[in-house]
């Protein structure tokens, strides 16, 4: 970890920083020579680059003053000092969703940073370890360089009914295989790694609650993306190869896309100073729960993506000459109502943040789960309504090559004409964008990742169940029904847990 | 308006203050002698009294320091000085919903106070009138007395396709019929007047956008509830007469209820110093819109009522011995998810408040409408799920008189027994509470008033439509589709209206 | 069982037949002298009477030729000889729902008759008993008299985690307490007994799957409604006492209502010739499952009730002058779409009937469950939309006594006026009808009984789960995914169970 | 139209019949040499071939005896002689949906045949033309050959606010440009032409209600698919090029797919004997409405496709080791409930068929619209639930080439292992099938085509609105509310339109 005076400061510099790394990336069975120039990978890099661009253009929104360096740093690297910091993450996420129409891949790192910050503080308080100090140093280092951090949490898991140490193959969860005085070696694989290739460092973390027998799985550490022993296998997405075709219409959103890969660790080394947990298995669940608490309301980004889809639906209605119909307007209202529900529940979760022992603010876990649970449902309905407004042409439109063809291009120009004042090509472009977001490459992020990222729907229901305080509510009902006397002397400050936060007047 | 040093300070004093007034109240075709002692009216008084009780017990939540008197006043009389004030209204509302399981009737007055505060400020700025000064004086007066204020807005409206001045009968909207040097006389009727009898003053306001021809309808003024010329006709509610039967089981929630009445004004006098708008018709829509903006997110109270219903559903599941079934737990999670959606969208609307010219903070209008729109849907689904958990006995249960009867009471005791350790009476009580909230007296407030109060669903959709900024969203889509160049130079501060508030970093 | 040449032939004769019976009925702790004249009970009698009226007026719809008597009999007493008989039950049910707007109470008897017919056939085939012969004789007898049959199935159940014989109190399920050579004596109680007082005979049946230890609970028999030892305790319904007030507006639907009571049997005798099961416990589940199969699609009646509610909603929109608004029309379309879904799924279940061994046709169990499952959801949404169209006045409207009052009646007449050409009273009447159906007395039938009658939602989900043939569907998926070879030689006739019925070409 | 004694009798013969035709088909800007061998087109041919296969294997289901030839013919070419014929279409459609998991493309032709049969009958009755005779001859001809018929209805439409004759470019609707004594010449284009290339004949029809000025647009005729002057431009589908990659896993459903193309007619000749409407513009709406009536309930096929998706979801739950979780089972029940709703509403529409003047049976239009309206919603929810069960791996899975790769294949084999007894490849295959059906190639048919085929959702709402008989329903409500006297003398036979069919006892 060298010290620098100047980190990556522009989108261009960021892209430049990804070149020339000795990465082992496989795609379609081949080793990728240069990810920056690969037409199928580049859109995902562009999406991350937008986070650098926004920091320059809107520093209030996308940067903050670091307490560790005293300098203005990208908000994705910032540790939340106050509730407003948590709220501003959401606002930045919505804006980036609007600007890219896809997943910009940096939220996992941001949320992992914040969750690990308070967790290492509490491990140290318990065991007098010095993980927190190490981690603060690492944070300052990444802030100085303005690096992109990937959070590597989700193990491949194997048989889901078995704990890590019970698996037939011990590698199905990432674990320590060897120790030296300088550090540890880990082996295993992480699935669904969003933006991993576009990061500079990976923060490896356990994926679930661990027990005494899983001590070697209780490892957290930082690893450079191009470390020895890592293999990346690129994930397919619906319509992914369209970006490798000629032209830019059929891609729908030619410039931006998401990225998912599998990351395989084979005896990868982590030096001692980059280890932030090693064996304190009982803190694994704290780390995971705090991470998911932040991360579930990070899906507010989807309200920004939803803004794009609503805009696209309104545009195609206009291009089709149908925008005056009352049912069209009504569907746009419904889409907006649902989209703002995602935003509002996320903002409420962030606003109801409370400080942890480390001083960092943590979002409200109940409301974060309510937000994410909506994200597993509402984008699907918004998407359905967008398809309704788009019309069937979205899935019967011929290819751009036909449109550009000398032989039949004029026929498409003639017959795909909608309103006289709208170029046929514009109509095609907006239809392809809606296809991209509801069936194609970015539907992966807007729909399926909305379903499973940061935990599948049932994970939210379990978390809501844990916090719904039925006993408190039963007491309310029994009082009004005349079964129990009112607890007249119960003060707000005696109300604990979720309702303690709800009725906290220190807003 | 006399000055006092000590206002109403306890729930008991409040109830006492309602006695002995010369009110003309009709119910079942009869004049009511004393509303305080009427068994069908009393529960609604108890609900308001709870707002006094909470102020004593939880001053941080239910009171604030008045900038007009420098004293601690009930929050329902407070003018929001900062966004936190707007948020705390919601928290107080949820708590009172929990404590009463019904409508506690003071939100209209609170929201009218705040809306009128900023509107009179802007009228004065425009016309050099002195409504705002008058109104501040009136506010201080009510704060000193700790009075309950009813906001009388909804006219009976007659033929909805006609403006006030076009109606065959000019009285179908409240209007000035006569003027003297001391003041004005008004005639007309207001429907659906929540808690009017339980108030000390009525704030009469126009109900909709007015035009030049409606000048005499553009009247705002304060009137004592027992003013000469007012007739009240009490509204029926489902199961209302159960409170007049012997026993307290069948009422479900014997202690608390809502109140709706029609208020008829026949040549009622308003002195000049209590007139806060007179003829400035173009400000009617500002008043109405600001009122509904506050009031639509005031329905966060229903999340408190929802807490009671969720508690009741969980209790009956337990009493039936069914609380361990996975589908039961899952339904309680769903109810919670929906209930917290109401809370979260309301809180987000309050948190995204911005100051008006008068300095008072106004909630976010888009999110307030999203909140209210959920309130027109989600309590119905929560209610349906509560009925699912209750079982059919909720609607086939014999009367309390049968249960108390010497002849057949023992048969009910024997055969309505569920789990051995739960008294049959407890089971009956909780079933009656669920009936009360989903079909009976408080279903009026939890369901139908949730639908229509502060505007019916379509009113919210219109307001969402006005603010959904399709042009901004279309621009986003066109940029990503490659139809338009990105507005690279567009700064956050140039984004206006709703998205201006969303991306305002001054949180 | 005497023989007659002429049964009850008119609605009037039916009502007459209910007089002068020595019934022990308790209501509000008092013995009811004459149920026919009791204002709270009479509407339920009128609803049953409508089934006699329809039989006279529409014999094709509401009667059939009995194979046992060769005479035309009321369809409610008819055993389904062909699939068309099953379909016509649904059509009759929808029509009666339209004519009464409530529960007409005879479906349980009809469905019990049909289920018991085939079940006794199969018991006899197994054990060489003669229940079927006895039962056919009883059917002929009731057909000759044109009696109303109540099906008494639902026991009070006590602790739901225990079997009948395990209950602390053995009476919590109806069972045989004593035997003589002439017959048996039973004790216990049945809850939620729809229309029991309005019946002539009760058919007592077990409520669930039984085991060897429950032999004394495996009793089926017919009992006259006024048999010695029976006590009825009348169930309360929302707003039930409105029918005891003066006037007929506030009742909403003054003429028709449902009826639920608890029936308590204390040593009630059943003679041998009226016993149709005694100890053959393993046939209890067949009886219950066939009964629920018929009964779940009998809820098609709710589409008839829904027709009334849609009509009421359309009427109030017209009376309010709002019927031209596009969102109003759209909501009426949505209500219709949902309402017809109930009808269509029921009709499909009936149409896909197959013969039992006895020759009687049995509805399709999967589709019957799909129908009923919709009934637990869609009426709630239709009801919510009806409240949306009704407006808030539905729950703030003063009483009929106020409207009739000399003092304030004219004020209501003046101020509750909507469109000039619609009498204020008409507006009140239609609002009260919507209140009646969505909150009041008939909401019990339209909503809560829709939820729990014939089994609560989870019961349908269990039944759907049993029949969903996942293995067959997995095979389809595996073939298309290339995991398994296509079963090229699989013939339609080899497809069993539900899909066997789906692909049965003998339509 | 030559006569034959033997038509196409096997799937293989059908495929053979498509070879060697002089078709002008463009795809990716290139002329396609042989559609049968094109890897992207072939799956759509296989799907049609399945209709021939089923006819051989299940003649009761997939064939019928033709009244025109006296021979057994494919059901897709059969004119419905009785209601059972209409019902059996649905059962065949569900089975083919199960066998192909996609659109098998022959329903448009079947529904067009039936609609045109009765429409030509009525034109002839009105104008003494001989279209019906001609058409019967054509039917017999196609039956003898066992041809596949494509129905070409949907014009490209241009500006949707203008009638055909008002368009700037008259070709935006197909119309007659020239007449000779032998026949007519037509020009224009049809969009979204399902299975057109896989057909032998196209039946050209108008797409909407026409007026006097549109006479030249009122043309119906049969044209061989390879007629002179026709150009086909193939439509893109999500993930379409995967079928052109090596391997068969990533396609998801390698063997079957749908087909959509744009068909451009440039002076295409129709001889007199193949013209079935020419200028009788007022019958255009009858033709369109009858076609959509049949076609909207033809979407019952989606319940067969839904069976596959439910099977796939159940399989992946099992492969993931999660099939025992109660929420997983519950989601499968919900998917089944929704899927059977499509089936049941379709079956009810077919069962409630009534004869037209020509004797052919026509489905119930209200219920057909209810069925299709569900199809625009429920597959989206079923699809969302399938993605829930699939897990995120569905969209992050590497390519088949990586899995087959010597370098990294073993890593995927190791790390993508779920349950020990399930081959990794099987898990990949089922995930790809779910991707195919919810995002990929067959999502086009299962989702977007379900939305827009046979008319978009609003088209169904308009049709439901037309038939919902509000006056009849208002009368029901007014009677029960006491506003109007009951129409005691109204007989079932006097009830008209939709309710006439509902209450028709001739079932």
């Amino acid at each position: 970890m060298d010290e620098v005076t100047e980190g990556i400061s522009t989108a261009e510099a960021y892209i430049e920083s990804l070149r020339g790394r000795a990465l082992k990336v496989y795609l379609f069975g081949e080793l990728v020579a240069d990810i920056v120039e690969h037409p199928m990978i580049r859109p995902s890099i562009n999406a991350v680059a937008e986070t650098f661009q926004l920091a320059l253009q809107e520093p209030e929104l996308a940067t903050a003053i670091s307490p560790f360096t005293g300098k203005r740093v990208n908000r994705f690297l910032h540790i939340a000092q106050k509730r407003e910091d948590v709220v501003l993450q959401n606002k930045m996420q919505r804006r980036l969703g609007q600007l890219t129409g896809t997943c910009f891949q940096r939220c996992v790192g941001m949320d992992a940073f914040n969750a690990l910050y308070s967790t290492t503080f509490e491990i140290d308080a318990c065991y007098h370890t010095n993980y927190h100090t190490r981690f603060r140093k690492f944070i300052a280092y990444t802030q100085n360089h303005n690096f992109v951090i990937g959070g590597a949490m989700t193990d491949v898991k194997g048989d889901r009914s078995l704990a890590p140490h019970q698996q037939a193959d011990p590698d199905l969860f990432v674990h320590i295989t060897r120790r030296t005085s300088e550090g540890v070696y880990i082996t295993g694989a992480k699935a669904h790694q969003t933006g991993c290739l576009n990061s500079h460092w990976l923060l490896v973390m356990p994926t679930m609650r661990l027990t005494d027998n899983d001590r070697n799985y209780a490892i957290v550490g930082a690893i450079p993306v191009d470390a020895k022993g890592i293999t990346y296998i690129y994930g397919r997405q619906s319509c992914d190869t369209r970006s490798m075709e000629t032209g830019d219409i059929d891609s729908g959103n030619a410039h931006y896309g998401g990225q998912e890969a599998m990351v395989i660790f084979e005896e990868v080394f982590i030096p001692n100073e980059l280890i932030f947990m090693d064996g304190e298995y009982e803190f694994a669940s704290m780390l995971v729960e705090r991470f998911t608490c932040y991360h579930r309301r990070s899906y507010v980004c989807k309200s920004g993506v939803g803004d794009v889809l609503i805009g696209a639906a309104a545009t195609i209605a206009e291009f089709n000459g149908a925008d005056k119909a009352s049912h069209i307007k009504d569907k746009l209202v419904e889409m907006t109502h649902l989209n703002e529900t995602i935003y509002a529940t996320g903002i409420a979760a962030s606003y109801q943040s409370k400080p942890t022992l480390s001083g960092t603010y943590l979002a409200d876990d109940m409301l974060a789960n309510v937000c994410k649970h909506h994200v597993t449902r509402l984008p699907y309905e918004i998407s359905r309504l967008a398809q309704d407004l788009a019309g069937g042409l979205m899935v019967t439109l011929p290819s751009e090559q036909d449109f550009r063809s000398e032989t039949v291009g004029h026929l498409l120009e003639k017959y795909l004409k909608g309103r006289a004042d709208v170029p046929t090509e514009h109509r095609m472009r907006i239809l392809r964008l809606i296809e991209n977001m509801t069936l194609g490459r970015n539907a992966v992020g807007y729909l399926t990742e909305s379903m499973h990222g940061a935990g599948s729907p049932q994970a939210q229901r379990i978390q809501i169940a844990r916090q719904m305080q039925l006993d408190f509510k039963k007491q309310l009902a029994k009082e009004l029904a005349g079964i129990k006397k009112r607890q007249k002397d119960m003060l707000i400050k005696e109300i604990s847990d979720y309702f303690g936060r709800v009725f906290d007047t220190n807003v």
Side-chain angles (χ1 to χ4, degrees), chain A residues 14 17-19 21-25 35 138 141 147-152 193-204 221-232 259 261-265 268-269 274:
Chain A
Y14 161 68
S17 76
L18 300 183
R19 294 186 194 272
R21 298 182 298 170
L23 299 181
K24 265 173 65 186
V25 182
I35 65 163
F138 180 66
Y141 163 76
F147 277 147
V148 174
I149 308 298
Q193 291 306 296
T194 305
C196 51
L197 297 173
N198 304 340
S199 303
H200 301 94
W201 285 83
L202 297 179
L203 204 52
V204 175
I223 302 175
V225 166
D226 55 359
K228 188 158 163 279
I230 304 184
T231 303
Y232 298 91
Q259 175 182 90
M262 172 170 284
V263 183
I264 296 155
F265 299 89
V268 176
F269 178 67
L274 293 178

Side-chain angles (χ1 to χ4, degrees), chain A residues 164-185:
Chain A
H165 73 277
Q166 295 173 319
Q167 300 284 334
D169 179 348
D171 300 345
L172 291 172
F173 288 77
V174 168
H175 61 124
I176 296 170
T177 50
R178 193 152 57 95
R179 293 174 179 280
T180 69
S181 58
E182 283 76 34
V184 302
Y185 291 82

